[in-house]
Amino acid sequence: MKVIGITGTNGKTTVTYLIKHCLEKAGHKCGLIGTNQNMIGDEVFETGRTTPDSIELQAIFSKMAQARVDYCIMEVSSHALELDRVYGCHFRTAAFTNLTQDHLDVHGSMENYYQAKKMLFDKSESGLINIDDMAGKRFRKEIPCPTKTYSAEEKADFYAEDIILSADGVKYVFCDRTSKHNVDFKMPGLFNVSNSLAVIACCETLGFDVETAIKYINSM
């Protein structure tokens, strides 16, 4: 079972659901762990926090393994990283969305918050980093695992061109080092350009065809 971790202040829930959608469209059985609920396929389990306590988390992993889940996509909160809830977990890849002021009651400062998020990439084989965020630009230089970048504002490993925003969603041209594809994603807001870029980049990192991943994004 391959585990995919998503961290950041905003966007984690959207990104995890979208990755689950794409991987299931590709024929894989998936589990999800996150803020709204935990899932094994279509089966829903209630959750009390974004990332469960370590014992509960391992119990969920066990259920997923018994159900022959191929991929577990999970939100990884800064609380979980700081409190070792994901101690011993190994992530096939991890994505960082952004870092905005939050949770300072727990971490005390933005620097401590940043360092907590950074812990995820010590546990991951690879990283996907949003470089539109200042913390992302710093992550790119500091995290130990191999890293690819995505951006809605500048050229990166994965980036957006010709962005059109409307109440019906976002349209843009997805670009990587070798190809360009049209994205027509039915969720509005510039932040959903970033969210969908993270999903497509994650699918590519996992070995899936970019054009197929975009087709699944467009079908949402």
Side-chain angles (χ1 to χ4, degrees), residues 122-174:
D122 295 329
K123 308 172 185 297
S124 181
E125 291 181 27
S126 63
L128 296 165
I129 305 298
N130 177 15
I131 57 169
D132 296 338
D133 187 276
M134 290 304 297
K137 293 182 187 299
R138 184 178 166 191
F139 270 134
R140 179 173 55 175
K141 300 175 184 177
E142 295 183 0
I143 61 177
C145 61
T147 304
K148 288 187 176 181
T149 58
Y150 66 94
S151 173
E153 299 176 1
E154 61 183 278
K155 289 192 175 180
D157 295 303
F158 308 96
Y159 62 98
E161 287 184 341
D162 302 329
I163 298 170
I164 299 173
L165 305 178
S166 74
D168 297 324
V170 296
K171 295 182 180 181
Y172 64 91
V173 178
F174 172 88

Side-chain angles (χ1 to χ4, degrees), residues 70-111:
D70 300 313
Y71 292 92
C72 170
I73 308 100
M74 65 180 294
E75 298 182 48
V76 186
S77 68
S78 58
H79 296 69
L81 290 158
E82 186 78 30
L83 299 173
D84 272 347
R85 293 179 194 162
V86 290
Y87 180 86
C89 295
H90 178 81
F91 295 88
R92 172 63 182 81
T93 193
F96 167 76
T97 59
N98 50 57
L99 193 73
T100 60
Q101 188 165 317
D102 202 357
H103 305 308
L104 298 188
D105 56 324
V106 174
H107 300 296
S109 69
M110 288 299 292
E111 178 62 23

